[in-house]
Amino acid sequence: MTPADADLARRAHAAAATVCDPEIPVLTIADLGVLRDVTVADGRVEVAITPTYSGCPAMDVIGIEVQTALAQAGIPDARVRLVLSPAWTTDWMTDAGKAKLTAYGIAPPAGKASRRALFGEEQVACPHCGSAATEKVSEFGSTACKALWRCRACREPFDYFKCI
Amino acid sequence: MPTTSLSLTETPLLAGILRRADDALILGHRLSEWCGHAPMLEEDIALANIALDCVGQARSFYAYAAEVAGGGLTEDDFAYRREAGQYRNCLLVEQPNGDFAGTIVRQVLFSAFNDPYYRALTGSRDATLAAIAAKAEKETAYHLRHSGEWLIRLGDGTDESHARARTALDELWPYTGELFEVDAAEAALIEAGTLPDPRSLRAGFDATLDHILSEATLTRPAGGWMQSGGRAGRHSEHLGFILADLQYLQRAHPGATW
Ligand SMILES: [Zn+2]
């Protein structure tokens, strides 16, 4: 890569990294690990993004917002490429992203995304009061990536970002 | 997009991809029929989420089918422009939702097969299939856990929920044999390392079911006669009604977008 291309890639990455997830607007796609790579070939920028779930309906919007963010940074005509491999995992979520999730009222993924037991027990701390006295209400929440939990200490329901 | 049905030359690879794609699309469509009708809000959301995963998986497989088939086809052509006889899904996924127990039993039976199938597919020599499977197997693990937990509650619940779960299990069991069938096209793909051999997953399927069913105080039906034909395009009448619903818009207004 020429120095000019490297500089373009760096600016493009910085612009793409500001795009927020439309369903969890406190997280950027960089926080989530959805932003995988930014490359430059023949002066044209290509941004690789990966879906959190196969049916994630936010990917089209994220692609458009990446192109918009790059255009506003003076980089028109960027290409967005969807990559499936390696498969996205919550392990890629940054610590800053996890802290933002908690502050937003969503419990971040607990632990590492190793193979789950069929009926394994999860320990999830309440994002409101921090209590460990929580229970799962449903495996599926308001979006594919979240489950519905409730806190027995402060009585509040909350979303839990599932560990996958 | 033209309104005519697709005329396809099915290579073994294309047939193998379409079987996975059609399983996912038709099950996803069935589950989506619960949207707004499930017994409680949480379950309405859960079934819709599982449907979304299935349709997403189907899209990945159809996009690959389009790439393999060439000729400028897109994923939509496969979903919207094939007749029932060109669909390659197993008969299990097109069975009607029935009552809630029926939907849960269908999901357990399919997921207990499909979850380990996708996991095995992650080792495919075909890099695209391996990538789609690596994404999807994380999702199907949740589908199996969710439907398995429900089946335990239904089986080990009231007399009525137990009876409904048992009836659904007896009715749907004859559709499980097809999941493990291998025809000539499939055998060639297994030989090439493109697809896993479903027969190698049988023992794990039985063990998973026995684990769930024993907690649910239900028993696995004895072998018995098995339905077959979906993989070859011989479907129950139900698929025609599904496609009439699913394809109506593109058939009536070819190429419509919004
Ligand atoms: Zn709390």
Side-chain angles (χ1 to χ4, degrees), chain B residues 141-240:
Chain B
Y142 273 101
H143 302 174
L144 178 58
R145 188 161 91 178
H146 181 76
S147 55
E149 285 180 348
W150 261 116
L151 186 53
I152 291 167
R153 272 145 196 79
L154 294 173
D156 193 21
T158 64
D159 287 346
E160 171 147 11
S161 69
H162 180 91
R164 286 179 183 238
R166 196 188 54 209
T167 300
L169 191 57
D170 288 342
E171 282 177 4
L172 293 170
W173 182 253
Y175 296 100
T176 55
E178 192 181 24
L179 300 170
F180 300 94
E181 281 178 5
V182 172
D183 61 7
E186 196 98 2
L189 294 169
I190 293 166
E191 182 67 25
T194 306
L195 292 181
D197 189 338
R199 294 166 297 195
S200 70
L201 306 172
R202 179 80 218 202
F205 171 83
D206 288 343
T208 300
L209 273 190
D210 287 346
H211 172 68
I212 294 170
L213 293 177
S214 69
E215 288 207 43
T217 71
L218 293 162
T219 47
R220 180 153 53 96
W225 182 77
M226 289 288 163
Q227 295 273 4
S228 178
R231 300 292 187 213
R234 296 191 306 278
H235 292 278
S236 61
E237 66 173 334
H238 306 303
L239 184 64

Side-chain angles (χ1 to χ4, degrees), chain B residues 67-122:
Chain B
E67 189 186 317
V68 166
L73 294 178
T74 70
E75 54 185 272
D76 285 349
D77 288 311
F78 286 94
Y80 296 129
R81 291 181 52 213
R82 282 181 304 146
E83 309 280 344
Q86 294 175 295
Y87 265 77
R88 297 287 175 254
N89 58 279
C90 60
L91 298 172
L92 175 63
V93 295
E94 70 196 42
Q95 296 310 304
N97 286 337
D99 57 15
F100 183 63
T103 289
I104 290 298
V105 169
R106 185 185 63 203
Q107 192 64 45
V108 168
L109 293 176
F110 185 72
S111 294
F113 166 77
N114 202 45
D115 180 53
Y117 186 88
Y118 278 167
R119 202 155 304 123
L121 187 59
T122 62

